Amino acid sequence: MKRALTPGTFDPITSGHLDVITRASQMFDEVVVAVAESPKKKPLFSLEERVSLVEQATAHLSNVRAVPFCGLLVDFADQMEATVLVKGLRAITDFELEATVLVKGLRAITDFEYEFQMTALNYQLHPDLETIFIMSPPQYMYLSSSIVREISSLHGDIKQFVPECVRVALEKKFA
Ligand code: PNS
């Protein structure tokens, strides 16, 4: 059973994220979308809203689920392993969250420095946790949640950049 973790802030999930998650879902038995609290980024959407949007956007992918997390990503992976030992029915769910692979999307050059830094540090913090990168296709190379939020805040058309549920949620936020 190969299980992958796709971490991010997902504020909100974009079509680029969904592309990476979909590719990962074809490569792994199960994909856990790890939605970070990311308080420093002061997200537009609450953690619950971001998880809910990921759930709606990935509803058609039977081996994908969204889980919120706070604190260090490597601790989240470890925490999931620890709950296996001590919890009841809930632990059966948690057991399935045991993740040994991180899957990240890579867009253009701008991503490299940041992703290299996080990967290098995560390797030092947790040498057993592997990170692999999936390259974004051209149409998503320059897509980001922040750009989508900006276009939407200025009442631009974001239909081609986000899943339908996110378009509706963003239009509501900026109405
Ligand atoms: O979508 P983002 O905001 O680029 O995702 C970044 C994320 C959430 C994956 C990263 O900030 C993260 O792993 N946050 C959890 C805290 C952590 O582990 N920080 C140390 C990284 S070396």
Side-chain angles (χ1 to χ4, degrees), residues 49 51-60 165-166:
E49 287 173 323
V51 169
S52 168
L53 288 171
V54 172
E55 280 172 350
Q56 291 172 57
T58 59
H60 60 292
C165 60
V166 173

Side-chain angles (χ1 to χ4, degrees), residues 22-155:
T22 303
R23 288 169 193 273
S25 76
Q26 289 157 1
M27 294 162 56
F28 295 92
D29 298 308
E30 187 182 28
V31 174
V32 174
V33 182
V35 183
E37 187 185 24
S38 298
K40 276 194 185 159
K41 295 192 175 177
K42 297 194 177 11
L44 173 68
F45 289 95
S46 70
L47 186 55
E48 292 72 24
E49 287 173 323
R50 286 179 277 136
V51 169
S52 168
L53 288 171
V54 172
E55 280 172 350
Q56 291 172 57
T58 59
H60 60 292
L61 301 170
S62 60
N63 62 339
V64 173
R65 59 193 160 128
V67 182
F69 80 98
C70 311
L72 278 178
L73 181 58
V74 292
D75 286 345
F76 174 66
D78 275 346
Q79 276 165 22
M80 295 302 108
E81 287 178 10
T83 53
V84 172
L85 303 173
V86 295
K87 297 211 170 174
L89 239 195
R90 176 71 200 206
I92 292 171
T93 313
D94 288 344
F95 178 73
E96 291 165 13
L97 287 174
E98 188 180 349
T100 52
V101 180
L102 299 182
V103 180
K104 303 290 301 286
L106 262 193
R107 288 168 300 188
I109 300 294
T110 46
D111 275 353
F112 277 71
E113 189 64 28
Y114 175 59
E115 295 295 348
F116 274 26
Q117 182 187 25
M118 278 199 296
T119 301
L121 292 170
N122 280 336
Y123 277 158
Q124 281 185 262
L125 291 169
H126 196 319
D128 298 333
L129 196 58
E130 189 56 76
T131 300
I132 67 163
F133 292 91
I134 293 178
M135 196 179 126
S136 293
Q139 69 268 35
Y140 302 134
M141 279 250 159
Y142 293 97
L143 186 57
S144 69
S145 297
S146 56
I147 284 291
V148 163
R149 288 196 306 272
E150 182 172 328
I151 296 171
S152 185
S153 73
L154 299 170
H155 306 291

